Amino acid sequence: MKVLGIETSCDETGVAVVEDGRTVLSNLISSQIDLHERYGGVVPEVAARAHVQALNPLLEEALERAGCRIADLDGVAVTVGPGLVGALLVGVAAAKAIALATGVDLIGVNHLEGHVYANFLEHGAPVPPYVCLIVSGGHTMLVHMAEEHRYEVLGQTLDDAAGEAFDKVARLIGLGFPGGPALDRLAREGDPNAIPFPRAMADSGDYDFSLSGLKTAVIRHVKAERAAGREVDAANLAASFQEAVVDVQVKKTLDAARERGAPIILLGGGVVANTRLRERIEADAALAGLRVLFPSPDLCTDNGAMIAAAGWSRLVRGERSDLEIGADANLRLAS
Ligand code: KG4
Ligand code: ZN
């Protein structure tokens, strides 16, 4: 069963063809980073327009690389939320047009479910229950899944998302946008224990997160160094900030898995490309006797293949969306 996956929720246009929810026949991404860089963030109107321009050529190329025609598809999966509504609508309109023209089954997918199902592309479908840590530019969330497609949100960020914090700190030390990957690289040259940044809510006894205090502590540190006439050691700052984020995320994720009796941890979202997070959770989960799965870095950030994988898992259970589906900027994971 070949499913086309379309992702346009933010600043990457992603189109992929995936067979049986596992085999990636093609997976193309057109990034808009260059367009948004000079604004230091994603501009919604610019994003929507860029999706319109990118989508048709990308669709053609994705089909060609997959060696199939539109008529060979068995389903079309599209991100319906959460995300920027104007950006989402571009993908939704395209998916509906394909479904209407060809009669192929349509399925709307929650973007966050896509991040979870990115794992299924490479690791197959693990048997639930699992605890999922979803960390991206827009979300930071711990979720318990007693079965597939059923999400119990255990906790989330009360302020900034993890990726947002990475991007803001990266900008502060002049690393450009989006700064997460650059900060990750720089941190490898620094000492994670150089600056004792706060581990907000590490012992709060719940599964919520808060990152704005850490961001403020970083700003305060930079100001204090400058006021004292010292140069900021950017590598030490990056490593220490990253360690503070990762410490809390790893601790809470393992606590949640133990408390829920879930033997498997799934990670998803752009921040899961972070090398330190991958390293730390792998080591700590092994000590705790838990299995941890994460996608390869390319499949952590937004892409169409993860949407096709999630859509396939719903289509094979007989689910379909009708042609009336719309985009929902604040779509929640359903329990
Ligand atoms: O999942 P994603 O591609 O888009 C959203 O759904 O938001 O996540 C993008 C976020 C950005 O904030 C980016 O800086 C962050 O993921 N990111 C990273 C790394 N690679 C991407 N953050 C830390 N370390 C990385 N290696
Ligand atoms: Zn995402």
Side-chain angles (χ1 to χ4, degrees):
M1 183 169 174
K2 289 191 181 76
V3 175
L4 180 75
I6 301 177
E7 155 62 39
T8 65
S9 69
C10 190
D11 60 345
E12 325 267 4
T13 318
V15 183
V17 181
V18 175
E19 190 152 33
D20 297 333
R22 278 222 64 175
T23 313
V24 180
L25 302 180
S26 63
N27 186 25
L28 300 177
I29 291 154
S30 165
S31 171
Q32 309 175 3
I33 285 172
D34 298 350
L35 288 177
H36 301 291
E37 202 165 17
R38 63 183 150 136
Y39 304 107
V42 178
V43 183
E45 291 78 7
V46 175
R49 176 188 280 264
H51 285 306
V52 171
Q53 284 166 346
L55 199 51
N56 273 346
L58 219 54
L59 273 166
E60 272 175 34
E61 202 184 332
L63 288 168
E64 193 183 309
R65 289 211 195 170
C68 69
R69 292 162 305 151
I70 215 160
D72 301 329
L73 295 172
D74 302 290
V76 51
V78 62
T79 306
V80 289
L84 304 167
V85 73
L88 287 163
L89 279 170
V90 178
V92 171
K96 283 188 194 176
I98 292 168
L100 184 64
T102 62
V104 72
D105 291 324
L106 175 68
I107 187 84
V109 171
N110 183 306
H111 181 79
L112 302 177
E113 175 166 271
H115 277 307
V116 171
Y117 276 76
N119 286 290
F120 292 39
L121 289 164
E122 294 172 299
H123 309 301
V127 179
Y130 5 91
V131 158
C132 311
L133 173 70
I134 305 170
V135 274
S136 70
H139 296 86
T140 295
M141 203 180 258
L142 262 173
V143 175
H144 174 246
M145 290 175 72
E147 51 189 273
E148 280 198 52
H149 305 137
R150 288 201 51 204
Y151 302 89
E152 178 199 354
V153 178
L154 301 175
Q156 51 194 315
T157 182
L158 304 176
D159 38 62
D160 292 352
E164 202 180 340
F166 267 93
D167 294 340
K168 285 178 179 168
V169 169
R171 191 153 81 162
L172 189 73
I173 52 176
L175 296 178
F177 170 85
L183 195 147
D184 183 353
R185 278 192 298 277
L186 181 63
R188 282 172 223 163
E189 292 154 31
D191 173 5
N193 301 312
I195 311 158
F197 286 130
R199 268 64 175 161
M201 299 184 76
D203 300 307
S204 58
D206 55 26
Y207 297 116
D208 287 334
F209 300 86
S210 168
L211 285 148
S212 72
L214 174 58
K215 184 187 65 191
T216 310
V218 172
I219 295 171
R220 214 178 290 132
H221 173 82
V222 170
K223 281 191 180 151
E225 289 294 288
R226 284 182 187 151
R230 285 190 292 265
E231 192 132 323
V232 176
D233 186 323
N236 279 349
L237 185 143
S240 301
F241 159 78
Q242 179 174 273
E243 202 68 9
V245 176
V246 169
D247 258 355
V248 181
Q249 287 181 352
V250 170
K251 177 182 188 291
K252 293 212 170 193
T253 307
L254 293 186
D255 285 352
R258 273 189 292 250
E259 193 225 352
R260 291 299 157 129
I264 303 176
I265 293 168
L266 302 181
L267 306 187
V271 178
V272 178
N274 186 269
T275 41
R276 189 63 181 152
L277 174 59
R278 296 164 84 91
E279 210 171 85
R280 284 282 314 278
I281 199 149
E282 195 153 53
D284 289 16
L287 285 177
L290 299 165
R291 193 170 161 221
V292 57
L293 302 175
F294 40 72
S296 21
D298 283 355
L299 292 171
C300 288
T301 41
D302 292 350
N303 64 85
M306 68 184 197
I307 303 304
W312 174 83
S313 76
R314 288 187 176 271
L315 289 168
V316 288
R317 288 172 172 78
E319 259 185 71
R320 304 285 180 268
S321 299
D322 62 39
L323 287 171
E324 306 303 313
I325 55 163
D328 181 350
N330 303 309
L331 185 65
R332 289 171 194 272
L333 284 168
S335 54

